[in-house]
Amino acid sequence: MYKARAYSAASAASPLALDTIPRRETTERDVQIEILFCGVCHSDLHTVRDEWNSVMPTVYPCVPGHEIVGRITRVGSAVTKFKPGDLAGVGCLVDSDHTCPSCQSNLEQFCPDATFTYNSPDKHQAAPVTYGGYSESIVVDERFVLHVPATLDLAGVAPLLCAGITTYSPIRRWGDIRGKKAGVVGLGGLGHMGVKFARAFGAQVVVFTTSPGKKEDALRLGAHEVIVSTNAEEMQQHAGTFDFILDTIAADHDINAYLNMLGRDGTITLVGAPEKPLEVSAFALLFGRRSLSGSIIGGIAETQEMLDFCGQHNITADVEVIPIQKINEAYERLLKSDVKYRFSIDMASLKG
Ligand code: NAP
Ligand code: ZN
């Protein structure tokens, strides 16, 4: 066991503050990573404030962060994929049982024994729960570590490890989206990646936003059209016309308004995870034989596929790089939808 500097929250009501946490020594299959950048996901905020208490209560101290990019500093004796000095990425998963049907289908995110990067029981018992990437280093089984394209800007790569795969996976799963009308609801961290991927796969991309000020950015990011969702007239014009909608909203909202945007057999996939249940009107589904589904991150192989795709197509997140000392301010800005379009923490700030 060794000690690492980190930012943690002591309770749901506490701000994040400097702390020292235990990390395990590298075992045979582990790599140790010096963290360079860590993206700030809205899930970090939900977890720190215990907003998902009914599903996944938060254990304190809580060290969030699951959009990790860094450099390998040490490898265990059985490690084959990495060597010291390599760039590496870690997303939301750090372990699974490797034997269940989901693991065998490369869908480790659905393994009943999956270990998430933070707030999951720590099988290595370095601490009661796993601690995430708001830290100077992390030790991870190499099977959950990704290769990062060296050509991309690392601050903008970090968010691909969650926001990237979470939007890439459901768009790919939908099928051949070329020429289809695809909506992305909410232009935040996930949403702006959804726009980039939907556009890269050839969809006719429409952004739904509550922030009229994001209109130009949405078009620059790849949208063909933008709908201000608070404008009933604009919404009505597009009713019944969408093939697919990706809903990334982090807060309570009227899902029926978006179901009514779908055409026959259209699908909404929820990736946003609001604290409170959504209220679905049966009629919004019945008319048009519409579907409402959900999706959570992606498996390790698909995450690597997404990173390779980003390397080939020069895709990264649009980031505002912040020092770790600004993290509490960043959370307040997330709550006001004031982020363009992902905060990425420069972890060098943790040393100073
Ligand atoms: P984010 O950066 O805060 O973006 C969320 C966006 O939703 C905002 O920028 C805003 O966009 C819109 N929005 C916020 N409040 C709204 C409201 N009351 N009504 C309508 N729109 C609202 O958050 P994120 O990091 O992208 O995460 C989004 C959600 O996905 C969170 O709940 C997070 O926990 C969840 N998540 C899920 C997965 C998964 O695997 N399924 C992975 C990561 C995150 P506009 O300003 O454009 O309206
Ligand atoms: Zn996330």
Side-chain angles (χ1 to χ4, degrees):
M1 207 115 86
Y2 73 99
K3 298 273 184 194
R5 286 157 77 94
Y7 258 54
S8 74
S11 77
S14 312
L16 289 147
L18 183 62
D19 197 358
T20 306
I21 54 163
R23 295 286 195 197
R24 68 177 185 265
E25 294 296 338
T26 46
T27 65
E28 273 191 339
R29 278 180 179 275
D30 285 337
V31 300
Q32 185 187 51
I33 301 167
E34 179 199 1
I35 301 175
L36 299 175
F37 292 96
C38 185
V40 179
C41 180
H42 208 113
S43 304
D44 301 351
L45 189 160
H46 288 306
T47 306
V48 161
R49 302 198 176 171
D50 204 15
E51 291 173 357
W52 291 338
N53 181 279
S54 60
V55 190
M56 290 176 278
T58 303
V59 175
Y60 296 94
C62 170
V63 180
H66 57 204
E67 296 185 334
I68 299 166
V69 162
R71 204 170 279 288
I72 306 262
T73 46
R74 188 181 296 214
V75 299
S77 58
V79 166
T80 58
K81 280 167 56 188
F82 295 94
K83 58 181 191 317
D86 286 352
L87 289 173
V90 178
C92 304
L93 289 167
V94 290
D95 207 355
S96 67
D97 70 11
H98 304 283
T99 54
C100 73
S102 292
C103 284
Q104 305 223 315
S105 309
N106 292 324
L107 295 167
E108 298 87 355
Q109 72 273 36
F110 303 115
C111 171
D113 202 22
T115 304
F116 291 95
T117 306
Y118 58 79
N119 201 42
S120 252
D122 181 8
K123 286 181 197 144
H124 296 266
Q125 295 182 325
V129 289
T130 50
Y131 293 142
Y134 294 9
S135 172
E136 59 190 340
S137 71
I138 191 166
V139 177
V140 184
D141 183 318
E142 69 159 336
R143 290 171 289 183
F144 291 81
V145 181
L146 288 309
H147 289 284
V148 168
T151 50
L152 299 177
D153 166 58
L154 293 183
V157 166
L160 300 178
L161 275 304
C162 174
I165 184 61
T166 300
T167 50
Y168 178 95
S169 182
I171 293 171
R172 296 304 281 154
R173 185 170 159 70
W174 190 85
D176 186 358
I177 206 149
R178 269 175 304 172
K180 302 290 182 191
K181 190 164 173 181
V184 176
V185 190
L187 198 65
L190 265 55
H192 94 291
M193 290 311 306
V195 170
K196 291 187 186 206
F197 287 130
R199 180 66 189 245
F201 291 119
Q204 178 70 23
V205 184
V206 182
V207 164
F208 294 92
T209 181
T210 59
S211 310
K214 292 182 183 173
K215 222 167 175 170
E216 271 177 35
D217 279 343
L219 297 171
R220 175 180 59 78
L221 291 163
H224 295 91
E225 261 182 279
V226 183
I227 299 173
V228 176
S229 53
T230 47
N231 182 328
E233 215 171 286
E234 276 184 53
M235 289 290 274
Q236 190 49 42
Q237 278 166 15
H238 290 262
T241 64
F242 281 81
D243 298 296
F244 173 68
I245 294 176
L246 189 68
D247 180 348
T248 78
I249 299 178
D252 195 21
H253 61 287
D254 177 16
I255 188 69
N256 304 300
Y258 298 101
L259 285 170
N260 286 328
M261 293 293 121
L262 294 174
R264 179 170 52 77
D265 292 322
T267 300
I268 291 187
T269 299
L270 291 176
V271 285
E275 179 178 3
K276 297 202 183 84
L278 299 172
E279 207 169 285
V280 179
S281 151
F283 294 102
L285 291 172
L286 303 184
F287 287 106
R289 199 164 59 182
R290 297 157 173 152
S291 304
L292 178 60
S293 65
S295 186
I296 191 161
I297 48 173
I300 296 300
E302 193 178 33
T303 305
Q304 189 62 63
E305 176 192 305
M306 177 274 309
L307 285 168
D308 295 345
F309 180 85
C310 289
Q312 282 152 19
H313 295 84
N314 203 22
I315 293 175
T316 52
D318 285 31
V319 292
E320 179 176 339
V321 176
I322 57 164
I324 187 84
Q325 291 78 8
K326 287 251 167 96
I327 188 64
N328 295 301
E329 204 179 297
Y331 277 19
E332 291 312 310
R333 285 180 54 195
L334 269 187
L335 289 172
K336 291 187 224 146
S337 303
D338 174 23
V339 49
K340 289 181 174 172
Y341 279 86
R342 196 58 140 187
F343 294 112
S344 186
I345 307 167
D346 180 351
M347 225 32 95
S349 60
L350 194 49
K351 297 196 177 95

